[in-house]
Amino acid sequence: MTIPTVRPGIAERLSQMIRIPTVSAELDERGSEPFEQFVALIAELYPLVHQQLHLERHTDFGLLFHWKGSGEATGGPAVLMAHYDVVPVDESDAWTHPPFAGVIADGSVYGRGTLDDKGPLIVVLEAVENLLADGFVPPRDVYLSFGGNEETYGKAAEEIAGVLRDRGIVPWLVVDEGGAVVDAPLPFVPGRAAMIGVGEKGVMTLRLTTRGEGGHASAPPSLTAVRRIARAVDRLGPTTFRPRASKAILRMLSQLSVQTPGPAKHLLRLLGSAPLLTAQVFAALGGEPAALVRTTVAPTMQSGGTAANVLPSQASATVNLRIALGETTQETVFRVRRRIRDPLVAVHVIEASEPSPESATDNAQFSLLASALEASYPGVPAVPYVMMAATDSRHFHRFAPAVYRFAPLDMSNAQRASIHGVDESVEIAALERGERFHRALLERLG
């Protein structure tokens, strides 16, 4: 079978997108003009999408395209998601190419958003535009849900999800950003794997506050407001929450054992069948493995005081938590208060969302993802895992039974580290394979 080629110019089109600084965290400084420029740009670059699909705007930043299907397939629609806002750039960082120049060099496109998330967004639009040019009609309805404020808690996607739910539309499949095609998914596992998030951790931001006696710094009491907050933060160490291995992690280990040679195969198989042992081993490894099996606590901001020689009368700290699957936000707050053990430290919930349920891997939807992978990345297996960061799809998993988090792009370890970092880039060949993935997925929705 001949694999259809993508229309030329995908790198140039992504470059144009990168040159528009849609930084949602800098909305006050930049205004909404970059976001409107981006919407106008995709209308220009993808005329068939705008001519043949119905577009609704939700909030100032949500785009919902509806592609009417033939009705041959039973059940709800497919929802393909992405976001077009990006995170800020630290001006002190040394980028090889300017972050908003969209430089094309050495077979790659460079710039903020190439991986997160304009690269994954463009391959969806490319696939739809190409299929429309061929006269294709999907066997079920398709929605394209694009948000412009995912990096600032995703109110656009939240409203889009609410609108569909209120209309009685239950998606048969939801696909958003998340995992990618990676080399050596674990240090001792060879080969490539497509890591597909079948669940994602919850998110919570807490603010710890306390008051104390102000005064001159020359005669401090034994426990100032700053020291009390520092003590509370110190008590929220890595072991605040017990480790637990979710079903997704056990399935990941069992599947990876198939492609692993030698003694490591038997170790993975053992871990895949022993949740308590797996939780303890991953927690002991620290870093990403530990984050896969427990709720994490990360102090991110601390404040208090007005001068170097004045004791502050109040102090605060902001703490970001990622809640493990199987736990709840209510249990999380209770655990934090117990660990702090200080009634003079108030715990305020700033924002919170529950961890997702796990989507199945033995259903038609996951098989469809595996089939689309075979068309775009032959021989690369679809492997379930737990997404540690939050995505816009969290607004769908309460009423949609099959939600998956996967960007169909090759990403090296260095590229994954560049997301929200320095020298973010995507290979042009990866974009072409990503387009083939979505084209195959849409063609096989029946």
Side-chain angles (χ1 to χ4, degrees):
M1 182 184 70
T2 301
I3 298 176
T5 57
V6 298
R7 61 185 178 131
I10 187 172
E12 288 74 15
R13 288 187 286 278
L14 179 58
S15 173
Q16 289 181 260
M17 292 181 175
I18 299 305
R19 291 199 293 268
I20 301 177
T22 49
V23 186
S24 53
E26 296 176 352
L27 187 62
D28 291 341
E29 299 92 329
R30 297 179 183 269
S32 60
E33 181 60 25
F35 298 87
E36 293 304 321
Q37 288 178 5
F38 188 88
V39 174
L41 176 65
I42 63 173
E44 174 189 334
L45 298 179
Y46 300 96
L48 296 180
V49 170
H50 279 74
Q51 290 167 16
Q52 299 187 38
L53 275 60
H54 176 65
L55 171 61
E56 296 178 7
R57 299 287 298 266
H58 294 283
T59 74
D60 292 334
F61 303 102
L63 309 177
L64 181 64
F65 292 91
H66 180 205
W67 191 3
K68 185 67 176 175
S70 65
E72 297 173 20
T74 59
V79 179
L80 304 182
M81 302 183 67
H83 65 88
Y84 58 95
D85 64 318
V86 299
V87 296
V89 172
D90 188 332
E91 297 298 333
S92 66
D93 289 336
W95 286 63
T96 304
H97 302 285
F100 294 110
V103 170
I104 301 171
D106 306 318
S108 295
V109 183
Y110 290 83
R112 175 63 83 222
T114 49
L115 294 175
D116 185 17
D117 191 42
K118 292 177 181 177
L121 182 148
I122 200 173
V123 296
V124 172
L125 285 171
E126 291 282 325
V128 175
E129 186 80 5
N130 291 335
L131 288 170
L132 289 170
D134 292 339
F136 174 77
V137 178
R140 69 176 73 241
D141 283 12
V142 174
Y143 287 91
L144 311 182
S145 174
F146 300 149
N149 51 17
E150 188 271 350
E151 301 291 1
T152 53
Y153 206 58
K155 289 297 182 182
E158 184 177 17
E159 180 164 316
I160 288 172
V163 165
L164 294 182
R165 184 178 60 245
D166 292 345
R167 293 174 182 172
I169 298 171
V170 179
W172 179 77
L173 169 69
V174 176
V175 182
D176 196 6
E177 63 171 333
V181 176
V182 302
D183 287 315
L186 291 177
F188 45 83
V189 176
R192 296 199 295 170
M195 306 304 294
I196 298 178
V198 297
E200 70 178 58
K201 300 176 78 172
V203 181
M204 177 178 286
T205 300
L206 300 177
R207 182 170 293 131
L208 314 181
T209 61
T210 192
R211 299 192 65 86
E213 294 182 9
H216 201 281
S218 61
S222 59
L223 195 60
T224 63
V226 169
R227 288 177 65 90
R228 187 179 292 276
I229 283 293
R231 185 179 68 176
V233 169
D234 187 59
R235 287 174 174 172
L236 298 176
T239 61
T240 298
F241 293 88
R242 299 183 182 90
R244 55 192 298 169
S246 64
K247 291 180 181 178
I249 298 303
L250 301 178
R251 285 183 285 176
M252 177 188 78
L253 295 169
S254 297
Q255 188 155 343
L256 289 176
S257 71
V258 175
Q259 66 188 76
T260 306
K265 173 191 287 288
H266 305 293
L267 174 60
L268 289 174
R269 190 178 296 165
L270 170 64
L271 292 174
S273 61
L276 293 178
L277 176 62
T278 297
Q280 293 168 353
V281 169
F282 275 50
L285 290 172
E288 278 196 20
L292 285 171
V293 296
R294 66 161 33 123
T295 296
T296 57
V297 185
T300 54
M301 294 187 291
Q302 191 162 332
S303 66
T306 57
N309 62 346
V310 177
L311 295 175
S313 59
Q314 58 184 355
S316 67
T318 300
V319 181
N320 185 263
L321 299 95
R322 302 301 168 114
I323 305 170
L325 274 64
E327 298 180 3
T328 68
T329 55
Q330 185 176 12
E331 293 169 345
T332 300
V333 174
F334 179 73
R335 182 80 174 170
V336 165
R337 288 190 170 119
R338 282 191 60 188
R339 287 298 291 247
I340 290 174
R341 302 192 312 276
D342 188 341
L344 296 182
V345 175
V347 179
H348 309 274
V349 178
I350 306 304
E351 60 186 18
S353 62
E354 301 287 348
S356 76
E358 289 187 37
S359 295
T361 58
D362 58 354
N363 56 5
Q365 292 93 325
F366 196 84
S367 295
L368 172 61
L369 298 178
S371 174
L373 270 168
E374 187 59 31
S376 52
Y377 294 90
V380 175
V383 178
Y385 88 116
V386 173
M387 181 80 178
M388 290 179 283
T391 71
D392 273 343
S393 69
R394 71 186 182 278
H395 303 300
F396 281 86
H397 63 224
R398 296 300 161 204
F399 68 101
V403 179
Y404 302 96
R405 302 148 187 91
F406 176 65
L409 303 175
D410 294 278
M411 294 189 197
S412 66
N413 288 334
Q415 284 175 306
R416 295 201 303 277
S418 74
I419 295 174
H420 290 204
V422 177
D423 280 347
E424 189 177 348
S425 69
V426 64
E427 295 177 1
I428 298 170
L431 295 172
E432 293 170 348
R433 285 189 289 270
E435 186 276 344
R436 285 198 290 269
F437 172 88
H438 280 297
R439 192 189 318 195
L441 184 149
L442 290 163
E443 288 175 334
R444 303 172 190 192
L445 275 176

